[in-house]
Amino acid sequence: MGKSKAKRFRRPPFAPSGDRRASGGEAEGGEASPAAELLEKLQHPSADVREFACASISKVLQQKQTIPAFVQRDVVRCLGPMLLDQRLAVRETAAGALRNLSACGGFDVCDDMVTKDVMTPLVALLKECQAGLEERNDSVKETKDTNKNCVEDIANEAVNLLWNVCECNSTAVSIFNREGCLVLVLQFLKRFHTNVDLAIAVASCLQAVTEDNPDLLSSFDASTHQVLEMVMVSSDKTMEHVLLRTLVAGVLWNIKSTLPSGSQASTVNAILKTLSECLAVDAGEVVIRMKEEETERLKTLEEPGTEENGGSLVVNEDEEMEETPKKPTKGKIDVSDLLPSSKQELKQVTALLLAQQTALEIIVNMCCNEEPSDDEWEELSSSDESDAFLENSYEEGGKLMSPLCLSAEVHTALMNHLVPKKILEKTAFPKSAAVDICAHSPAWKPLIKKLNMVQYRALTCLHSILLVSDVDCLGGASVLQSLAQHLSQLIFSQPEFSKQTEFLEAVTSALRALLQMMASNNIPQCATPEQLMTLCEAGIQSDNISVRVNVVSILGIAGSVLSKLEDTVETLKMIGKFLLEVATKDLSLVVAGEALDALFDVFADGKEAERAAEQIKLLSALKEFQPVFRLRMRKEGKGQYSTDQLCVLDNVKLNLRRFIAYLENLERKQ
């Protein structure tokens, strides 16, 4: 059925906030009475009681099972007015509670929030925050903590709430456009030197709202470009600033069409320079160094008489930082802003890993010039008419070659900043020393998943660049073979690779594309048939359709190469039996169609293929299966598969009829 589509990434929703002032009042489960009691306290005349109620609701809403009880009691309309409460602390805790509701509740809850008009008080709050920050006098601050600007904290919660609802709801995006929210949040972004957390929230929100939003593009002018470019070329060294620059690079890529034609090349170059610098950081080394710094700092704090902020900040490693609840969406949820100030080293590492994951996703999107719907990325489908396959490799001198069919600006910047080389480096497994450090610290343990995610995104990024590459720009057969060996080693060095679905999907996508390119150019393949069978037997058990399609295609590519060689009948028989079983038994028509297509490729030509087909009785098996396949398409097709997938399956059905006729003709000649 041809090549796979590249996966396109979108910004994920933000994390719940962790308001550490909520020290009590938790509700357990989804019981009605605690929700009703807390919501009733929002109407209390005492600002302290309202603040306590908002903080308690904020904490309780981080438990997903409690959300229905609050939604049933109209929590949005109860909390909405609190965003404009006279007490600034009430505004902040109310915004935090709504942020948690949006982050933990999923798309349906965000839709309900917009329907219940959360945007009206939210936009009003943002405007008041902007006005308050412009005044910059003591009247906008609360003095409980002289180092804390309460208005900026409110803005941080509000922007994160804005990000969540705009990510999930198109009406919220329309309101963002209409109410001029771009101007508001850009004012917050300008404070990146002094409040990087607020700037990161703004950049994340902007990356979400600038994607597929042509109505907003006209709002970007020279002054907004200047603000974004100022942030992207800043030189602050912390990992939070690395994340901030990476996010802003993604925003600039989304709005590149608004740039003057004379400056587009320089901006694209600056974007890829930023992404390259982000990827150049060795995350494993940062984990090791930051853990050492944390250990030394905690030792200092444990010394007698050492206190900070009036109390000991010794961290109990038994208090594990749990992963925040995920929304049923396309992405990850960042938790870096949930970490207390006593875990700054952990926050630095978290920011770096998110930055590198984001950088890789931006590069993937650069390779996806077409704009298919999100649904098309969910299940892998393929196309008979495509032969633009994949590749990435080293050029002489150690540079990885870049795709020639990208724009000249992107191609030049990729080459100049060695981006493909850095992508390939990120496809390696995380440093074992870093993984061990994380594994032995409960608070750091969630970083293992984040380290792995960077590798998965790098493999997907490699696959995407290969999809838009031309074989003539690569370094030759030896380079392709080296890359194939690298991918094979990644797979077979892991004894339980079949259980790592995201890894398996990413690595098989890249390997599939690479093997196809090698086959098309008659380059000997490195993996043995036995290795490929091991991979396929493991991959075909996966619940992930993309993995199953990839391994079937890989086996078809290998078989088509073997069919042209001598003394391969037994191997071809083994491949044919495997593909027949998949075609007739897999629950997905997409996978079954891919298996049929692979059979066509393997047995379409060559004396060895003819002998193998005869011995496994391929013709009779396909004739028996043909009406079954047609029936499945009629019953399952329209309800379960996209239009593109149905077109591909129709083509497979047609090719099945032709292939049976071909085999019958061969039989008559004998």
Side-chain angles (χ1 to χ4, degrees):
M1 286 163 71
K3 74 166 186 176
S4 64
K5 288 184 178 179
K7 180 175 289 186
R8 187 167 181 265
F9 292 102
R10 295 179 181 270
R11 291 300 305 151
F14 211 70
S17 64
D19 196 310
R20 288 176 291 282
R21 288 179 294 181
S23 58
E26 291 186 47
E28 294 297 326
E31 297 178 8
S33 54
E37 180 182 350
L38 288 171
L39 291 173
E40 184 179 352
K41 288 180 180 178
L42 295 177
Q43 308 304 318
H44 199 280
S46 168
D48 288 337
V49 174
R50 296 197 302 274
E51 178 187 352
F52 175 81
C54 288
S56 299
I57 292 170
S58 179
K59 192 170 185 180
V60 172
L61 286 174
Q62 293 184 54
Q63 307 168 47
K64 290 186 69 172
Q65 70 272 20
T66 67
I67 291 176
F70 282 92
V71 171
Q72 289 168 11
R73 283 163 176 76
D74 220 359
V75 63
V76 176
R77 289 201 170 105
C78 293
L79 283 171
M82 300 296 102
L83 295 177
L84 301 174
D85 195 276
Q86 291 184 349
R87 173 77 72 87
L88 295 185
V90 175
R91 296 184 180 192
E92 181 184 351
T93 50
L98 287 167
R99 174 188 173 186
N100 287 356
L101 178 64
S102 64
C104 301
F107 282 108
D108 291 340
V109 169
C110 285
D111 288 341
D112 182 68
M113 293 176 74
V114 176
T115 301
K116 300 289 178 58
D117 199 25
V118 73
M119 292 296 289
T120 296
L122 176 57
V123 172
L125 176 62
L126 290 167
K127 289 178 179 178
E128 291 199 13
C129 287
Q130 183 203 21
L133 291 175
E134 285 179 348
E135 291 176 15
R136 298 300 297 160
N137 57 42
D138 292 339
S139 66
V140 301
K141 296 182 181 179
E142 294 194 351
T143 56
K144 288 182 182 178
D145 182 345
T146 57
N147 295 321
K148 176 180 179 181
N149 186 329
C150 189
V151 175
E152 288 189 356
D153 291 342
I154 295 170
N156 185 42
E157 296 292 351
V159 172
N160 278 292
L161 171 58
L162 180 67
W163 171 17
N164 283 347
V165 293
C166 286
E167 178 70 33
C168 298
N169 185 276
S170 59
T171 301
V173 175
S174 297
I175 296 171
F176 182 100
N177 298 344
R178 185 176 67 245
E179 295 293 332
C181 292
L182 175 63
V183 175
L184 299 177
V185 298
L186 282 174
Q187 295 304 311
F188 304 147
L189 182 62
K190 290 179 181 178
R191 315 181 77 81
F192 70 96
H193 282 302
T194 57
N195 194 331
V196 69
D197 288 336
L198 175 58
I200 287 172
V202 171
S204 301
C205 182
L206 286 177
Q207 198 179 12
V209 298
T210 54
E211 193 164 16
D212 302 330
N213 186 5
D215 293 339
L216 183 63
L217 295 184
S218 60
S219 301
F220 285 90
D221 54 21
S223 62
T224 58
H225 295 153
Q226 186 177 16
V227 172
L228 293 169
E229 290 172 4
M230 174 183 66
V231 176
M232 190 174 69
V233 301
S234 62
S235 57
D236 302 84
K237 301 299 183 184
T238 69
M239 295 301 119
E240 288 99 333
H241 283 90
V242 171
L243 172 59
L244 174 62
R245 288 192 290 270
T246 302
L247 291 166
V248 171
V251 176
L252 281 166
W253 175 258
N254 287 346
I255 66 164
K256 61 186 181 299
S257 63
T258 70
L259 297 167
S261 57
S263 64
Q264 285 192 5
S266 61
T267 301
V268 168
N269 184 69
I271 290 171
L272 280 159
K273 179 176 183 289
T274 299
L275 302 182
S276 177
E277 290 172 348
C278 173
L279 295 175
V281 180
D282 188 327
E285 289 299 325
V286 172
V287 169
I288 295 168
R289 185 176 77 250
M290 288 294 171
K291 188 59 178 174
E292 290 173 351
E293 291 182 10
E294 181 190 71
T295 302
E296 288 302 313
R297 179 175 58 80
L298 294 179
K299 283 181 181 178
T300 302
L301 294 177
E302 286 174 351
E303 293 175 2
T306 302
E307 292 186 344
E308 186 175 313
N309 294 333
S312 172
L313 288 182
V314 176
V315 176
N316 181 3
E317 289 288 2
D318 292 332
E319 296 177 1
E320 180 171 353
M321 181 192 76
E322 296 182 354
E323 290 284 291
T324 56
K326 284 196 174 183
K327 295 169 69 172
T329 75
K330 333 156 185 106
K332 70 258 165 203
I333 295 179
D334 174 50
V335 296
S336 59
D337 68 328
L338 305 187
L339 301 176
S341 57
S342 59
K343 295 188 178 181
Q344 285 303 303
E345 296 85 2
L346 180 54
K347 185 176 180 181
Q348 291 277 310
V349 179
T350 303
L352 172 63
L353 294 176
L354 179 57
Q356 293 190 336
Q357 179 177 339
T358 302
L360 291 163
E361 291 172 359
I362 293 169
I363 297 169
V364 169
N365 292 346
M366 287 179 171
C367 298
C368 299
N369 293 323
E370 299 300 322
E371 301 293 330
S373 66
D374 288 339
D375 291 340
E376 290 182 76
W377 302 123
E378 294 303 318
E379 287 190 28
L380 188 88
S381 65
S382 41
S383 169
D384 271 324
E385 299 172 355
S386 62
D387 58 5
F389 288 98
L390 342 139
E391 224 24 61
N392 253 22
S393 324
Y394 281 107
E395 164 189 70
E396 289 187 21
K399 292 184 181 180
L400 259 173
M401 298 299 293
S402 304
L404 290 177
C405 55
L406 294 176
S407 70
E409 293 87 354
V410 174
H411 173 255
T412 300
L414 282 168
M415 292 293 291
N416 289 344
H417 300 296
L418 305 181
V419 173
K421 176 180 182 295
K422 292 171 183 177
I423 292 169
L424 183 58
E425 290 170 351
K426 293 298 177 188
T427 64
F429 289 107
K431 278 192 168 82
S432 57
V435 173
D436 289 344
I437 285 172
C438 296
H440 288 88
S441 172
W444 288 59
K445 194 170 183 179
L447 293 182
I448 297 175
K449 183 181 291 186
K450 298 177 188 298
L451 285 163
N452 288 331
M453 188 59 67
V454 171
Q455 182 200 28
Y456 304 157
R457 290 294 186 263
L459 286 165
T460 301
C461 195
L462 174 63
H463 169 245
S464 296
I465 290 184
L466 294 175
L467 281 173
V468 294
S469 296
D470 190 304
V471 67
D472 294 334
C473 79
L474 302 175
S478 61
V479 174
L480 301 184
Q481 288 176 322
S482 296
L483 183 54
Q485 287 178 339
H486 169 67
L487 295 177
S488 297
Q489 287 169 358
L490 288 179
I491 295 170
F492 296 113
S493 63
Q494 297 296 299
E496 295 188 345
F497 68 87
S498 62
K499 298 179 182 178
Q500 303 169 33
T501 301
E502 288 188 86
F503 166 74
L504 198 55
E505 179 181 359
V507 76
T508 54
S509 294
L511 182 60
R512 170 189 181 182
L514 179 58
L515 292 179
Q516 180 62 56
M517 175 173 278
M518 294 173 70
S520 300
N521 291 274
N522 298 317
I523 298 170
Q525 301 187 2
C526 304
T528 66
E530 290 74 22
Q531 285 180 314
L532 293 178
M533 282 300 301
T534 300
L535 169 62
C536 294
E537 287 170 353
I540 207 64
Q541 304 301 320
S542 174
D543 292 334
N544 184 289
I545 290 177
S546 296
V547 171
R548 303 208 302 275
V549 167
N550 283 339
V551 296
V552 165
S553 179
I554 285 170
L555 198 58
I557 294 165
S560 66
V561 172
L562 290 171
S563 67
K564 299 175 179 62
L565 304 178
E566 295 182 355
D567 300 324
T568 57
V569 170
E570 293 303 316
T571 304
L572 292 174
K573 286 167 58 178
M574 177 176 62
I575 291 173
K577 289 177 181 178
F578 180 88
L579 293 174
L580 265 176
E581 183 172 4
V582 173
T584 56
K585 294 184 179 180
D586 198 278
L587 296 178
S588 168
L589 270 176
V590 171
V591 180
E594 190 71 40
L596 286 172
D597 203 60
L599 281 168
F600 306 156
D601 290 340
V602 173
F603 295 99
D605 189 29
K607 294 297 182 183
E608 297 292 286
E610 290 178 18
R611 291 172 55 201
E614 183 181 1
Q615 292 181 28
I616 64 171
K617 296 181 172 56
L618 181 61
L619 175 58
S620 60
L622 291 179
K623 289 175 71 173
E624 182 179 347
F625 178 62
Q626 185 180 28
V628 176
F629 186 70
R630 288 174 176 169
L631 181 62
R632 285 191 62 187
M633 284 192 62
R634 284 197 298 271
K635 285 186 174 181
E636 304 171 27
K638 292 183 180 179
Q640 298 183 28
Y641 301 100
S642 69
T643 302
D644 281 356
Q645 289 170 332
L646 290 175
C647 288
V648 172
L649 289 168
D650 279 334
N651 202 31
V652 172
K653 182 174 67 173
L654 177 62
N655 288 338
L656 176 59
R657 188 181 70 201
R658 291 172 175 172
F659 188 67
I660 288 173
Y662 163 75
L663 292 178
E664 288 175 335
N665 188 48
L666 285 179
E667 190 176 72
R668 283 193 295 270
K669 288 182 179 179
Q670 293 174 358

